[in-house]
Amino acid sequence: MGKRKHADAATEGKDKKYTKIKLANVSGETPVLATFPGITPARDIEFTPYKRNYETSEEKANQRVLVADADKVVFQGTNFGASGPHNLNCSYYVGVYSKSKNEVQVVPARLVAMRRHVKASETERVSASKSKLQQRQALGLAFGSRRVKTELRNNERNAVDANKIEDQVTDAMASVERNVASMPTSEQLRKEVAANLPIPVHNVDATTLEEAYDLNSIVTSDELNAIPIKDVFKVTSMEEMQAWLPFGFSKFINNKLYSLISATGKKDRHLARLLVYVSYLMAYYCKVKRNDLTDHERLSKVLKHPPALIIEGLTNRYADGCVLISVFSRSPQMADKILCYMMVLCLMLQDFKVYPDLLATDLSLKASHVTNILRSLGCKIDVCNAEDIIRAGFDPKSKAKKATLVVPLKFPEIKKGGGSRR
């Protein structure tokens, strides 16, 4: 009996060691996986799937259209056709884990590529019944002789209906009044633009520079603590430090970090972690290519093997795609988001004053592009004075610029109308 109990216990232990995976029996609609490239819908938006309501082929029966109607936009996506996902070489499942049974029940899921459509204002159409004269003219134009058709066309071309013109003017004025009443104010537009900017969490009513942007929305404390700064404090030369950093071409990072390492006394480890994280961001922006985003090993190699928490944070914040299927890309909006988050950290690391020309050189970008990014973050752009030129090491004859963060935050105003053409 003792041996049998021991054998049963061993079998039971072996069963608990492995998780069972079962295909769930689902009679209704199966789940839908949706990808949102470059957009983030609100959490409270309700999505409704649609399918064909008649018998058809198995391929068409599996087709779905996913729609959600928001205040100003409509989200719509399909799993078929030109707007659906392409080059899918596998099937997708959604699983639910039962801790008590130690098993996962999976169901097949459809992958839908979502798109955003802005609602356009539509003018109301007023239909009027045709009069007897109009009906006669229509019959004459359809069945009359050539001479009758010519006369009817001439009469129609030369006729002036005062009542019709008055009705059209009234309808036009009413349409203009409706459109003007529904137009947002400049303040509403400013807030809407600020909310849609690819910038970190911010406080437009901040009274101090430290309160303007939330550091935790850029990088969490867990990510910073995961950075292995013990290794960087062991370097003995600038060249050795550049070889260790994921992006060793930035004078902004190199000068600050090496000064911190070579200084005597207690080292500011939090400052060192922030500098190394900016180096990760620069490498992610400049060195990581599109094919690297979907290959975890290649991405880790390009970034010089950072902790897994760093790679996960960079992918979640700055890559378009679906985490479940590990397909990622980088849109122009995401590229600007990387620069915005990076520039906020650079401002924090240098008393909220940076030089766009130096950062543009580090990132191989035009100085005007970096200046526009800093301006969109709420920075004031000025020409460097003599002291700034000496501190930054510019040519005394240069007209370099300086970006200074100003509170309360003021974002670029919306330009009304277009410039005059010459």
PDB file of all heavy atoms in Angstrom, residues 171-196:
ATOM      1  N   ASP A 171     -31.284  78.451 -47.122  1.00  0.00           N
ATOM      2  CA  ASP A 171     -30.641  77.191 -46.732  1.00  0.00           C
ATOM      3  C   ASP A 171     -29.142  77.377 -46.512  1.00  0.00           C
ATOM      4  O   ASP A 171     -28.568  76.797 -45.579  1.00  0.00           O
ATOM      5  CB  ASP A 171     -30.878  76.130 -47.810  1.00  0.00           C
ATOM      6  CG  ASP A 171     -32.348  75.732 -47.906  1.00  0.00           C
ATOM      7  OD1 ASP A 171     -33.079  75.969 -46.915  1.00  0.00           O
ATOM      8  OD2 ASP A 171     -32.749  75.194 -48.955  1.00  0.00           O
ATOM      9  N   ALA A 172     -28.505  78.173 -47.375  1.00  0.00           N
ATOM     10  CA  ALA A 172     -27.068  78.398 -47.232  1.00  0.00           C
ATOM     11  C   ALA A 172     -26.755  79.127 -45.933  1.00  0.00           C
ATOM     12  O   ALA A 172     -25.806  78.773 -45.218  1.00  0.00           O
ATOM     13  CB  ALA A 172     -26.537  79.191 -48.424  1.00  0.00           C
ATOM     14  N   MET A 173     -27.556  80.146 -45.601  1.00  0.00           N
ATOM     15  CA  MET A 173     -27.331  80.884 -44.364  1.00  0.00           C
ATOM     16  C   MET A 173     -27.543  79.980 -43.142  1.00  0.00           C
ATOM     17  O   MET A 173     -26.782  80.038 -42.171  1.00  0.00           O
ATOM     18  CB  MET A 173     -28.261  82.092 -44.301  1.00  0.00           C
ATOM     19  CG  MET A 173     -27.940  83.174 -45.322  1.00  0.00           C
ATOM     20  SD  MET A 173     -29.080  84.566 -45.252  1.00  0.00           S
ATOM     21  CE  MET A 173     -28.728  85.195 -43.621  1.00  0.00           C
ATOM     22  N   ALA A 174     -28.573  79.141 -43.193  1.00  0.00           N
ATOM     23  CA  ALA A 174     -28.822  78.230 -42.072  1.00  0.00           C
ATOM     24  C   ALA A 174     -27.683  77.229 -41.919  1.00  0.00           C
ATOM     25  O   ALA A 174     -27.267  76.897 -40.809  1.00  0.00           O
ATOM     26  CB  ALA A 174     -30.146  77.503 -42.285  1.00  0.00           C
ATOM     27  N   SER A 175     -27.151  76.751 -43.061  1.00  0.00           N
ATOM     28  CA  SER A 175     -26.043  75.806 -42.998  1.00  0.00           C
ATOM     29  C   SER A 175     -24.794  76.452 -42.403  1.00  0.00           C
ATOM     30  O   SER A 175     -24.092  75.847 -41.597  1.00  0.00           O
ATOM     31  CB  SER A 175     -25.747  75.275 -44.405  1.00  0.00           C
ATOM     32  OG  SER A 175     -24.644  74.410 -44.389  1.00  0.00           O
ATOM     33  N   VAL A 176     -24.523  77.710 -42.796  1.00  0.00           N
ATOM     34  CA  VAL A 176     -23.365  78.426 -42.257  1.00  0.00           C
ATOM     35  C   VAL A 176     -23.522  78.631 -40.752  1.00  0.00           C
ATOM     36  O   VAL A 176     -22.569  78.450 -39.975  1.00  0.00           O
ATOM     37  CB  VAL A 176     -23.179  79.779 -42.977  1.00  0.00           C
ATOM     38  CG1 VAL A 176     -22.144  80.629 -42.255  1.00  0.00           C
ATOM     39  CG2 VAL A 176     -22.771  79.554 -44.420  1.00  0.00           C
ATOM     40  N   GLU A 177     -24.711  78.989 -40.303  1.00  0.00           N
ATOM     41  CA  GLU A 177     -24.939  79.195 -38.871  1.00  0.00           C
ATOM     42  C   GLU A 177     -24.733  77.909 -38.082  1.00  0.00           C
ATOM     43  O   GLU A 177     -24.151  77.914 -36.989  1.00  0.00           O
ATOM     44  CB  GLU A 177     -26.358  79.729 -38.650  1.00  0.00           C
ATOM     45  CG  GLU A 177     -26.556  81.164 -39.147  1.00  0.00           C
ATOM     46  CD  GLU A 177     -27.989  81.630 -38.976  1.00  0.00           C
ATOM     47  OE1 GLU A 177     -28.823  80.803 -38.534  1.00  0.00           O
ATOM     48  OE2 GLU A 177     -28.275  82.794 -39.289  1.00  0.00           O
ATOM     49  N   ARG A 178     -25.200  76.779 -38.634  1.00  0.00           N
ATOM     50  CA  ARG A 178     -25.024  75.506 -37.941  1.00  0.00           C
ATOM     51  C   ARG A 178     -23.544  75.143 -37.849  1.00  0.00           C
ATOM     52  O   ARG A 178     -23.059  74.688 -36.805  1.00  0.00           O
ATOM     53  CB  ARG A 178     -25.794  74.395 -38.661  1.00  0.00           C
ATOM     54  CG  ARG A 178     -27.298  74.454 -38.477  1.00  0.00           C
ATOM     55  CD  ARG A 178     -27.943  73.152 -38.939  1.00  0.00           C
ATOM     56  NE  ARG A 178     -27.687  72.910 -40.342  1.00  0.00           N
ATOM     57  CZ  ARG A 178     -28.470  73.329 -41.325  1.00  0.00           C
ATOM     58  NH1 ARG A 178     -29.556  74.039 -41.041  1.00  0.00           N
ATOM     59  NH2 ARG A 178     -28.177  73.054 -42.579  1.00  0.00           N
ATOM     60  N   ASN A 179     -22.818  75.342 -38.958  1.00  0.00           N
ATOM     61  CA  ASN A 179     -21.395  74.979 -38.954  1.00  0.00           C
ATOM     62  C   ASN A 179     -20.584  75.873 -38.029  1.00  0.00           C
ATOM     63  O   ASN A 179     -19.680  75.412 -37.330  1.00  0.00           O
ATOM     64  CB  ASN A 179     -20.829  75.050 -40.374  1.00  0.00           C
ATOM     65  CG  ASN A 179     -21.407  73.977 -41.283  1.00  0.00           C
ATOM     66  OD1 ASN A 179     -21.815  72.923 -40.799  1.00  0.00           O
ATOM     67  ND2 ASN A 179     -21.453  74.246 -42.572  1.00  0.00           N
ATOM     68  N   VAL A 180     -20.922  77.180 -38.004  1.00  0.00           N
ATOM     69  CA  VAL A 180     -20.199  78.101 -37.124  1.00  0.00           C
ATOM     70  C   VAL A 180     -20.477  77.776 -35.665  1.00  0.00           C
ATOM     71  O   VAL A 180     -19.585  77.821 -34.809  1.00  0.00           O
ATOM     72  CB  VAL A 180     -20.579  79.561 -37.447  1.00  0.00           C
ATOM     73  CG1 VAL A 180     -20.034  80.515 -36.385  1.00  0.00           C
ATOM     74  CG2 VAL A 180     -20.067  79.955 -38.821  1.00  0.00           C
ATOM     75  N   ALA A 181     -21.722  77.409 -35.360  1.00  0.00           N
ATOM     76  CA  ALA A 181     -22.073  77.093 -33.972  1.00  0.00           C
ATOM     77  C   ALA A 181     -21.359  75.830 -33.490  1.00  0.00           C
ATOM     78  O   ALA A 181     -21.032  75.698 -32.305  1.00  0.00           O
ATOM     79  CB  ALA A 181     -23.583  76.925 -33.840  1.00  0.00           C
ATOM     80  N   SER A 182     -21.115  74.883 -34.418  1.00  0.00           N
ATOM     81  CA  SER A 182     -20.477  73.630 -34.012  1.00  0.00           C
ATOM     82  C   SER A 182     -18.956  73.697 -34.054  1.00  0.00           C
ATOM     83  O   SER A 182     -18.290  72.743 -33.646  1.00  0.00           O
ATOM     84  CB  SER A 182     -20.947  72.492 -34.924  1.00  0.00           C
ATOM     85  OG  SER A 182     -20.581  72.753 -36.271  1.00  0.00           O
ATOM     86  N   MET A 183     -18.399  74.780 -34.549  1.00  0.00           N
ATOM     87  CA  MET A 183     -16.937  74.897 -34.616  1.00  0.00           C
ATOM     88  C   MET A 183     -16.344  75.064 -33.225  1.00  0.00           C
ATOM     89  O   MET A 183     -16.863  75.828 -32.416  1.00  0.00           O
ATOM     90  CB  MET A 183     -16.531  76.090 -35.497  1.00  0.00           C
ATOM     91  CG  MET A 183     -16.747  75.883 -36.979  1.00  0.00           C
ATOM     92  SD  MET A 183     -16.274  77.329 -37.938  1.00  0.00           S
ATOM     93  CE  MET A 183     -14.541  77.464 -37.522  1.00  0.00           C
ATOM     94  N   PRO A 184     -15.248  74.350 -32.915  1.00  0.00           N
ATOM     95  CA  PRO A 184     -14.622  74.504 -31.594  1.00  0.00           C
ATOM     96  C   PRO A 184     -13.918  75.846 -31.472  1.00  0.00           C
ATOM     97  O   PRO A 184     -13.461  76.417 -32.466  1.00  0.00           O
ATOM     98  CB  PRO A 184     -13.618  73.343 -31.552  1.00  0.00           C
ATOM     99  CG  PRO A 184     -13.307  73.058 -32.987  1.00  0.00           C
ATOM    100  CD  PRO A 184     -14.567  73.358 -33.751  1.00  0.00           C
ATOM    101  N   THR A 185     -13.830  76.344 -30.253  1.00  0.00           N
ATOM    102  CA  THR A 185     -13.129  77.598 -29.997  1.00  0.00           C
ATOM    103  C   THR A 185     -11.619  77.363 -30.065  1.00  0.00           C
ATOM    104  O   THR A 185     -11.154  76.225 -30.071  1.00  0.00           O
ATOM    105  CB  THR A 185     -13.511  78.161 -28.625  1.00  0.00           C
ATOM    106  OG1 THR A 185     -13.092  77.222 -27.611  1.00  0.00           O
ATOM    107  CG2 THR A 185     -15.012  78.361 -28.527  1.00  0.00           C
ATOM    108  N   SER A 186     -10.865  78.466 -30.121  1.00  0.00           N
ATOM    109  CA  SER A 186      -9.408  78.343 -30.180  1.00  0.00           C
ATOM    110  C   SER A 186      -8.854  77.676 -28.923  1.00  0.00           C
ATOM    111  O   SER A 186      -7.875  76.921 -28.970  1.00  0.00           O
ATOM    112  CB  SER A 186      -8.776  79.730 -30.349  1.00  0.00           C
ATOM    113  OG  SER A 186      -9.150  80.581 -29.282  1.00  0.00           O
ATOM    114  N   GLU A 187      -9.493  77.907 -27.764  1.00  0.00           N
ATOM    115  CA  GLU A 187      -9.051  77.279 -26.533  1.00  0.00           C
ATOM    116  C   GLU A 187      -9.294  75.777 -26.567  1.00  0.00           C
ATOM    117  O   GLU A 187      -8.452  74.979 -26.138  1.00  0.00           O
ATOM    118  CB  GLU A 187      -9.789  77.902 -25.340  1.00  0.00           C
ATOM    119  CG  GLU A 187      -9.396  77.340 -23.985  1.00  0.00           C
ATOM    120  CD  GLU A 187      -7.956  77.655 -23.617  1.00  0.00           C
ATOM    121  OE1 GLU A 187      -7.378  78.586 -24.210  1.00  0.00           O
ATOM    122  OE2 GLU A 187      -7.407  76.961 -22.748  1.00  0.00           O
ATOM    123  N   GLN A 188     -10.456  75.382 -27.115  1.00  0.00           N
ATOM    124  CA  GLN A 188     -10.741  73.958 -27.241  1.00  0.00           C
ATOM    125  C   GLN A 188      -9.770  73.286 -28.212  1.00  0.00           C
ATOM    126  O   GLN A 188      -9.312  72.170 -27.969  1.00  0.00           O
ATOM    127  CB  GLN A 188     -12.184  73.749 -27.717  1.00  0.00           C
ATOM    128  CG  GLN A 188     -13.230  74.130 -26.674  1.00  0.00           C
ATOM    129  CD  GLN A 188     -14.640  74.057 -27.228  1.00  0.00           C
ATOM    130  OE1 GLN A 188     -14.844  74.190 -28.437  1.00  0.00           O
ATOM    131  NE2 GLN A 188     -15.614  73.870 -26.357  1.00  0.00           N
ATOM    132  N   LEU A 189      -9.458  73.973 -29.307  1.00  0.00           N
ATOM    133  CA  LEU A 189      -8.494  73.430 -30.257  1.00  0.00           C
ATOM    134  C   LEU A 189      -7.116  73.295 -29.633  1.00  0.00           C
ATOM    135  O   LEU A 189      -6.402  72.319 -29.864  1.00  0.00           O
ATOM    136  CB  LEU A 189      -8.417  74.328 -31.498  1.00  0.00           C
ATOM    137  CG  LEU A 189      -9.599  74.251 -32.470  1.00  0.00           C
ATOM    138  CD1 LEU A 189      -9.452  75.302 -33.552  1.00  0.00           C
ATOM    139  CD2 LEU A 189      -9.706  72.876 -33.098  1.00  0.00           C
ATOM    140  N   ARG A 190      -6.717  74.279 -28.826  1.00  0.00           N
ATOM    141  CA  ARG A 190      -5.403  74.242 -28.187  1.00  0.00           C
ATOM    142  C   ARG A 190      -5.308  73.051 -27.245  1.00  0.00           C
ATOM    143  O   ARG A 190      -4.304  72.335 -27.221  1.00  0.00           O
ATOM    144  CB  ARG A 190      -5.155  75.538 -27.431  1.00  0.00           C
ATOM    145  CG  ARG A 190      -3.754  75.664 -26.849  1.00  0.00           C
ATOM    146  CD  ARG A 190      -3.615  76.924 -26.045  1.00  0.00           C
ATOM    147  NE  ARG A 190      -4.408  76.861 -24.829  1.00  0.00           N
ATOM    148  CZ  ARG A 190      -3.993  76.279 -23.707  1.00  0.00           C
ATOM    149  NH1 ARG A 190      -2.817  75.691 -23.659  1.00  0.00           N
ATOM    150  NH2 ARG A 190      -4.763  76.252 -22.643  1.00  0.00           N
ATOM    151  N   LYS A 191      -6.359  72.826 -26.449  1.00  0.00           N
ATOM    152  CA  LYS A 191      -6.352  71.693 -25.533  1.00  0.00           C
ATOM    153  C   LYS A 191      -6.369  70.367 -26.282  1.00  0.00           C
ATOM    154  O   LYS A 191      -5.712  69.398 -25.870  1.00  0.00           O
ATOM    155  CB  LYS A 191      -7.555  71.772 -24.585  1.00  0.00           C
ATOM    156  CG  LYS A 191      -7.480  72.932 -23.590  1.00  0.00           C
ATOM    157  CD  LYS A 191      -8.674  72.910 -22.662  1.00  0.00           C
ATOM    158  CE  LYS A 191      -8.587  74.045 -21.630  1.00  0.00           C
ATOM    159  NZ  LYS A 191      -9.750  74.044 -20.718  1.00  0.00           N
ATOM    160  N   GLU A 192      -7.119  70.321 -27.390  1.00  0.00           N
ATOM    161  CA  GLU A 192      -7.185  69.084 -28.169  1.00  0.00           C
ATOM    162  C   GLU A 192      -5.832  68.765 -28.804  1.00  0.00           C
ATOM    163  O   GLU A 192      -5.391  67.615 -28.806  1.00  0.00           O
ATOM    164  CB  GLU A 192      -8.253  69.218 -29.255  1.00  0.00           C
ATOM    165  CG  GLU A 192      -8.466  67.945 -30.058  1.00  0.00           C
ATOM    166  CD  GLU A 192      -9.587  68.058 -31.074  1.00  0.00           C
ATOM    167  OE1 GLU A 192     -10.319  69.071 -31.012  1.00  0.00           O
ATOM    168  OE2 GLU A 192      -9.721  67.170 -31.909  1.00  0.00           O
ATOM    169  N   VAL A 193      -5.153  69.797 -29.326  1.00  0.00           N
ATOM    170  CA  VAL A 193      -3.839  69.590 -29.918  1.00  0.00           C
ATOM    171  C   VAL A 193      -2.840  69.130 -28.862  1.00  0.00           C
ATOM    172  O   VAL A 193      -2.042  68.218 -29.076  1.00  0.00           O
ATOM    173  CB  VAL A 193      -3.352  70.885 -30.604  1.00  0.00           C
ATOM    174  CG1 VAL A 193      -1.882  70.770 -30.990  1.00  0.00           C
ATOM    175  CG2 VAL A 193      -4.192  71.172 -31.840  1.00  0.00           C
ATOM    176  N   ALA A 194      -2.890  69.773 -27.674  1.00  0.00           N
ATOM    177  CA  ALA A 194      -1.973  69.395 -26.586  1.00  0.00           C
ATOM    178  C   ALA A 194      -2.209  67.955 -26.146  1.00  0.00           C
ATOM    179  O   ALA A 194      -1.266  67.228 -25.817  1.00  0.00           O
ATOM    180  CB  ALA A 194      -2.143  70.344 -25.410  1.00  0.00           C
ATOM    181  N   ALA A 195      -3.484  67.519 -26.142  1.00  0.00           N
ATOM    182  CA  ALA A 195      -3.795  66.154 -25.717  1.00  0.00           C
ATOM    183  C   ALA A 195      -3.322  65.124 -26.735  1.00  0.00           C
ATOM    184  O   ALA A 195      -3.002  63.988 -26.375  1.00  0.00           O
ATOM    185  CB  ALA A 195      -5.297  66.006 -25.485  1.00  0.00           C
ATOM    186  N   ASN A 196      -3.265  65.506 -28.033  1.00  0.00           N
ATOM    187  CA  ASN A 196      -2.882  64.554 -29.072  1.00  0.00           C
ATOM    188  C   ASN A 196      -1.393  64.599 -29.403  1.00  0.00           C
ATOM    189  O   ASN A 196      -0.934  63.824 -30.239  1.00  0.00           O
ATOM    190  CB  ASN A 196      -3.692  64.829 -30.348  1.00  0.00           C
ATOM    191  CG  ASN A 196      -5.172  64.542 -30.151  1.00  0.00           C
ATOM    192  OD1 ASN A 196      -5.543  63.662 -29.390  1.00  0.00           O
ATOM    193  ND2 ASN A 196      -6.029  65.282 -30.840  1.00  0.00           N
TER     194      ASN A 196
END
